[in-house]
């Protein structure tokens, strides 16, 4: 097929070269941004007397007709075109004749594609942020419901100290808050307009880049035209932010998978977010959480793919950069899907408070509190720690727990032990005494919940 760029060459290429070169299969999803950008471009050209107002009006009307027809399905995207930019220009010229050919004045596909991706991703960031916010709301809601449900807190996946399920859940709310922050930060740097950088060097036409930027809701313009067309930092930054977010979802998934196992049985996922086995009738599998964990690897791959593509690219535009889109689109699609599923999964899960409590009673997780009890009676912490350790060893030997060891046995280790020790090592007391800021007491957790609700206007 002869190309729009025929001239220097005859524009006739091999079919296989066309297919290889084409990006319309994945960049067609940016048609709205492409057309909106072109409308602002036409308006700017007229405002600067580069084309007549009449031509600009015709172009804008033609473009808005194409947009409406694409939205309604009356116009189908021609996959024979090289990319979305060529497709829109081709339809415009078919519909308007020679006027259509004026649109591409003082512009190149290099700044056009850079503009389209920024506009597209800006919107994606807003959608992802909205979903993260929904997830924080779901997590915070569950945390409030279980703010005094005692469970073992772990380090090294060994029972460490008693905490509440609410406290544990709020840790994820904090991670997600940072994710929102990272997305906002990334959006800020992304929101500069590259249009007017043209192919690489700017243009001899008296364009007004600020006019176009403000029409398209950018905060300003890219200051160097070479950088404007070759910068894909915003894609890398967004994929990094998404990767960290996926890492959080993956850690959360891992815990959900553990907690819903028979060994833990801390939570029960709703039937709506689990699957059965085709052969083992007893199975209720946490597939959603496993898939989120799995898809995290895929998103890391997207990030690494683009970083590797960009590494060593000379300035300014190189066709390699067309490879940015599939990675970034995949990362955005994947994280949005994961977030949507996650919100539902969290909203509908229930905690088995009995099992959590039982697990907390078995692991000597009040041994620190036993040592603290002796410290309060005047013993140095290291000595208290040692006695507490000996008592744990004794309990293990006698197959009992600290709560059930008789006072006489305690007193063989230290005369400081009195009957009030049982109160001091009561799990509920251990939890509620940790009133330090950010701690596990119901009051501290409620403060965390209130703060998050206030920040997000939940
Ligand atoms: N489809 C191209 C891309 O996505 C558009 C820019 C093409 N520019 C060029 N000089 N061939 O990068």
């Amino acid at each position: 097929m002869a190309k729009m760029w025929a001239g220097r060459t005859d524009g006739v290429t091999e079919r296989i070269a066309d297919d290889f070169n084409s990006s319309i299969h994945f960049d067609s999803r940016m048609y709205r941004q492409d057309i909106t950008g072109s409308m602002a471009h036409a308006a700017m050209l007229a405002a600067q007397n580069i084309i007549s107002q009449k031509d600009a009006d015709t172009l804008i009307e033609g473009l808005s007709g194409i947009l409406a027809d694409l939205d309604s399905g009356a116009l189908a995207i021609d996959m024979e075109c090289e990319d979305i930019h060529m497709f829109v220009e081709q339809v415009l010229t078919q519909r308007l004749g020679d006027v259509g050919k004026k649109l591409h004045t003082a512009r190149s596909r290099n700044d056009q594609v850079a503009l389209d991706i920024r506009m597209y991703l800006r919107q994606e960031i807003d959608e992802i942020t909205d979903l993260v916010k929904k997830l924080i709301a779901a997590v915070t809601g569950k945390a409030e419901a279980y703010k005094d449900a005692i469970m073992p807190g772990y380090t090294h996946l060994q029972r460490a100290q008693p905490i509440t399920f609410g406290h544990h859940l709020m840790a994820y709310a904090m991670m997600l808050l940072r994710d929102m922050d990272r997305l906002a930060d990334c959006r800020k740097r992304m929101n500069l307009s590259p249009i007017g950088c043209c192919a690489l060097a700017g243009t001899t036409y008296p364009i007004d880049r600020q006019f176009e930027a403000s029409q398209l809701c950018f905060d300003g313009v890219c200051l160097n035209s070479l950088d404007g067309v070759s910068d894909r930092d915003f894609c890398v930054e967004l994929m990094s932010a998404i990767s960290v977010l996926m890492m959080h979802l993956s850690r959360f998934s891992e815990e959900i998978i553990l907690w819903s196992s028979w060994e833990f049985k801390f939570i029960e996922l709703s039937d709506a977010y689990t699957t059965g086995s085709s052969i083992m009738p007893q199975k209720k599998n946490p597939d959603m959480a496993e898939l989120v964990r799995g898809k995290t690897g895929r998103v890391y791959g997207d990030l690494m793919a683009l970083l590797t593509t960009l590494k060593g690219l000379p300035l300014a535009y190189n066709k390699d950069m067309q490879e940015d889109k599939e990675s970034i689109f995949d990362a955005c699609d994947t994280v949005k899907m994961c977030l949507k599923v996650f919100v539902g999964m969290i909203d509908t899960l229930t905690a088995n408070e009995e099992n959590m409590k039982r697990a907390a009673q078995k692991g000597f997780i009040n041994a620190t509190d036993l040592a603290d009890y002796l410290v309060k009676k005047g013993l140095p912490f290291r000595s208290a720690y040692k006695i507490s350790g000996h008592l744990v060893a004794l309990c293990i030997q006698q197959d009992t727990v600290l709560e059930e060891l008789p006072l006489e046995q305690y007193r063989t280790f230290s005369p400081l032990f009195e009957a009030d020790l049982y109160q001091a090592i009561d799990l509920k007391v251990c939890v509620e005494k940790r009133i330090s800021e950010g701690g596990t007491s119901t009051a501290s957790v409620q403060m965390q919940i209130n703060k998050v609700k206030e920040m997000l206007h939940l």
Side-chain angles (χ1 to χ4, degrees), residues 42-43 45-60:
L45 291 175
Q48 296 301 104
N49 288 318
I50 299 168
I51 62 171
S52 70
Q53 189 59 51
K54 187 167 160 283
D55 283 349
D57 292 343
T58 311
L59 286 170
I60 292 170

Side-chain angles (χ1 to χ4, degrees), residues 235-417:
C235 297
V236 173
E237 280 191 45
L238 178 54
M239 275 196 276
S240 311
I242 293 176
S243 294
V244 176
L245 169 52
M246 287 297 298
M247 181 259 286
H248 293 151
L249 297 184
S250 184
R251 293 180 75 171
F252 205 168
S253 296
E254 171 67 17
E255 299 214 272
I256 287 171
I257 294 161
L258 274 176
W259 291 337
S260 52
S261 69
W262 277 105
E263 284 69 15
F264 278 78
K265 272 277 165 249
F266 284 1
I267 61 166
E268 175 92 29
L269 291 173
S270 132
D271 290 357
Y273 287 89
T274 47
T275 59
S277 157
S278 54
I279 164 171
M280 297 164 282
Q282 82 283 14
K283 292 294 279 291
K284 184 171 173 184
N285 297 329
D287 285 30
M288 308 303 135
E290 290 170 86
L291 268 175
V292 170
R293 191 176 57 184
K295 284 178 190 290
T296 302
R298 167 190 182 130
V299 170
Y300 291 179
D302 290 330
L303 169 64
M304 289 319 295
L306 185 59
L307 276 173
T308 313
T309 297
L310 295 174
K311 176 182 175 297
L313 280 192
L315 300 185
Y317 179 83
N318 301 272
K319 190 75 175 204
D320 314 46
M321 289 162 69
Q322 179 166 288
E323 291 290 310
D324 58 357
K325 284 169 223 55
E326 282 165 295
S327 303
I328 188 75
F329 293 162
D330 183 68
C332 291
D333 293 348
T334 305
V335 77
K336 284 197 294 184
M337 221 152 53
C338 291
L339 284 164
K340 282 179 200 158
V341 168
F342 230 93
V343 171
M345 185 170 66
I346 297 296
D347 259 339
T348 54
L349 70 74
T350 50
N352 189 328
E353 296 187 55
E354 264 318 299
N355 282 349
M356 284 183 173
K357 182 115 188 252
R358 209 169 302 129
Q361 281 160 344
K362 281 185 194 153
F364 302 101
I365 62 179
N366 42 9
T368 316
D369 296 87
L370 185 64
D372 287 343
Y373 169 85
L374 291 174
V375 170
K376 281 201 194 93
K377 301 230 163 175
L379 210 62
F381 181 76
R382 273 293 154 231
S383 319
Y385 171 92
K386 197 162 217 129
I387 292 175
S388 188
H390 284 311
L391 281 158
V392 168
L394 179 71
C395 286
I396 294 171
Q397 200 189 348
Q398 298 186 359
D399 194 22
T400 181
V401 289
L402 290 171
E403 289 89 329
E404 272 152 34
L405 197 71
L407 183 58
E408 309 85 74
Q409 289 204 280
Y410 273 104
R411 290 181 67 87
T412 61
F413 286 85
S414 166
L416 294 173
F417 282 121

Side-chain angles (χ1 to χ4, degrees), residues 23 27 82-83 85 109-110 113 317 319 321-322 325:
S23 55
D27 65 22
E82 184 183 329
D83 55 31
H85 328 295
R109 273 188 296 158
N110 297 351
V113 73
Y317 179 83
K319 190 75 175 204
M321 289 162 69
Q322 179 166 288
K325 284 169 223 55

